[in-house]
Amino acid sequence: MLAGSTLSTAVVALILGGVGIIFTVFNLYVTARNRRLDEEDKQDQRAAEQSYKYSKEVQNILFEVERYKRQKCQDSDLVYYTRLKELQHEEDWDIKQKLTVVNGFWRETIFLWNKRKLPAEFFEKQNIWLYRGNMYRLLVEPCDIANHYGLKSMSGVGHYLAGNRPGRYEFLEELWLRRKGEQPLSSIQFALMEQKLDPHGRKKQSSKTLLPQVQALCAGAVEASVNPVGFRYSY
């Protein structure tokens, strides 16, 4: 009789232990699910915040830059680059300053993406961000190249493509290639030109001095590879 009672107690303890394990596992599952849902909510909220920032500030700046290029630069890529390199007019400085806001937005957005703080479909499935990124790269990177070869001294720094290109542009190129299955339009043609004009990066030259040479090189540089050196850069 005692043996039977002991056995029954052991069975009950075993069942209760099993129930306890199941309850613990269930609690862990619920906690993990809630954390995942909470993180997804945060990702959606951040995506909404980035969309709001773009529509309220960044988009208006890009429209203004396009208008500047059309009205002040005769809608010419070369004139646009030359003016942003020389910065001889107040409008040029104004555009340069406003583009720092746009760069800051994209630096933040890509940082959030790389840290998985945005939804997985943000760049991988939504065409609107794919095309926004491509427009940004084509319109703004020439300004960064102009800044590198303009007022900034190249002493000890080297060419733009020698480790000085921001990684956000390479990210957006790779995104376009992956999503569209084709090479994107080049946004580094002027960097390639500067490198051809002065292969060793020995000194800066005035855009006025370079203009005839740049015009001669323009056609060939546009067709060059979008990533000729294959470096990884900071954002």
Side-chain angles (χ1 to χ4, degrees), residues 39-130:
E39 183 55 34
E40 288 176 355
D41 287 342
K42 289 180 180 178
Q43 289 177 342
D44 290 340
Q45 182 179 351
R46 292 189 196 102
E49 289 172 355
Q50 294 306 105
S51 295
Y52 180 82
K53 287 180 186 178
Y54 187 92
S55 62
K56 289 297 181 182
E57 187 171 22
V58 175
Q59 183 172 262
N60 292 333
I61 293 175
L62 292 177
F63 285 157
E64 187 173 342
V65 174
E66 287 184 318
R67 185 165 58 250
Y68 160 85
K69 182 180 178 183
R70 185 173 61 253
Q71 295 178 355
K72 302 295 182 180
C73 307
Q74 298 83 51
D75 207 19
S76 162
D77 291 339
L78 180 57
V79 176
Y80 176 65
Y81 174 76
T82 303
R83 285 192 60 149
L84 291 175
K85 181 178 178 182
E86 291 293 331
L87 297 171
Q88 293 184 348
H89 306 280
E90 186 177 343
E91 305 103 303
D92 307 336
W93 282 99
D94 185 49
I95 289 296
K96 178 186 174 181
Q97 291 301 316
K98 289 180 177 179
L99 287 178
T100 62
V101 176
V102 180
N103 276 333
F105 170 84
W106 279 100
R107 188 182 298 113
E108 176 189 48
T109 301
I110 295 173
F111 174 81
L112 290 173
W113 165 260
N114 285 330
K115 293 294 183 180
R116 298 185 179 181
K117 300 295 185 181
L118 292 171
E121 65 271 13
F122 188 85
F123 278 122
E124 294 300 336
K125 293 182 180 179
Q126 296 185 21
N127 284 333
I128 188 170
W129 286 106
L130 176 68

Side-chain angles (χ1 to χ4, degrees), residues 187-216:
S187 54
I188 59 169
Q189 59 267 34
F190 293 110
L192 293 169
M193 281 187 237
E194 297 278 8
Q195 200 161 302
K196 285 183 179 180
L197 294 170
D198 185 12
H200 305 292
R202 290 165 296 193
K203 62 180 180 179
K204 295 186 299 178
Q205 291 179 276
S206 166
S207 290
K208 293 179 180 178
T209 305
L210 290 175
L211 190 57
Q213 304 172 66
V214 169
Q215 289 172 325

Side-chain angles (χ1 to χ4, degrees), residues 137 161 165 173 183-188 224-228:
R137 180 180 59 81
L161 295 177
R165 188 188 190 202
E173 283 178 342
Q183 289 287 353
L185 290 174
S186 175
S187 54
I188 59 169
S225 168
V226 296
N227 186 21

